[in-house]
Amino acid sequence: MSMKLLRRRVALGLLTPAVLAALSAPQAIAEYRTIVGHWAAGSRDCSRVSGGLHIRPMSIEGDGAHCHFSNVRRTGDTVVWNGRCDAFGEEFPATVTARSAGGRLTVDFNGTDRRGPFERCGR
């Protein structure tokens, strides 16, 4: 809901100024930065063609593996995809969870294979 619409609701008596203030707080309207892009183990590794992860909205590619997803959900700084991965010719169902914190990204494949931390390339 836009701030203009919220202010109008206060003017009409549908919202109190206190509720408007709470809804306007930075943490209430914070938008999380996308994790789509190229990530590498370190900024020096960003110039290499191989290595790291290439994240797209519905796929991830890395050394020897790629995943395509049928659904995605995001809660705060955590993104969870469900779909299928292929690693070195072996295909399998996958749940992939990516978490960003402090400019770094960790990725878990099926809850057992954690990768990272990665740093974003091309800031």
Side-chain angles (χ1 to χ4, degrees), residues 33-41 52-55 60 74 77-79 81 96-108 114-120 123:
R33 185 172 183 196
T34 181
I35 63 168
V36 169
H38 182 199
W39 296 79
L53 295 174
H54 297 276
I55 299 176
I60 293 179
R74 182 173 191 151
D77 284 329
T78 301
V79 178
W81 294 275
V96 179
T97 304
R99 291 179 185 87
S100 62
R104 294 180 175 256
L105 184 79
T106 57
V107 180
D108 292 321
R114 176 169 283 178
R115 306 283 174 94
F118 298 101
E119 294 179 23
R120 183 183 296 276
R123 296 173 193 218

Side-chain angles (χ1 to χ4, degrees), residues 62-66 85-92 113 115:
D63 285 338
H66 62 273
C85 293
D86 182 314
F88 305 103
E90 181 182 339
E91 190 175 329
F92 52 92
D113 185 11
R115 306 283 174 94

Side-chain angles (χ1 to χ4, degrees), residues 32-95:
Y32 295 95
R33 185 172 183 196
T34 181
I35 63 168
V36 169
H38 182 199
W39 296 79
S43 59
R44 290 189 312 247
D45 294 333
C46 288
S47 61
R48 295 183 3 195
V49 174
S50 64
L53 295 174
H54 297 276
I55 299 176
R56 292 177 181 84
M58 297 299 283
S59 67
I60 293 179
E61 293 182 43
D63 285 338
H66 62 273
C67 303
H68 296 278
F69 305 110
S70 54
N71 79 35
V72 61
R73 67 185 179 281
R74 182 173 191 151
T75 305
D77 284 329
T78 301
V79 178
V80 179
W81 294 275
N82 291 52
R84 298 194 68 75
C85 293
D86 182 314
F88 305 103
E90 181 182 339
E91 190 175 329
F92 52 92
T95 298

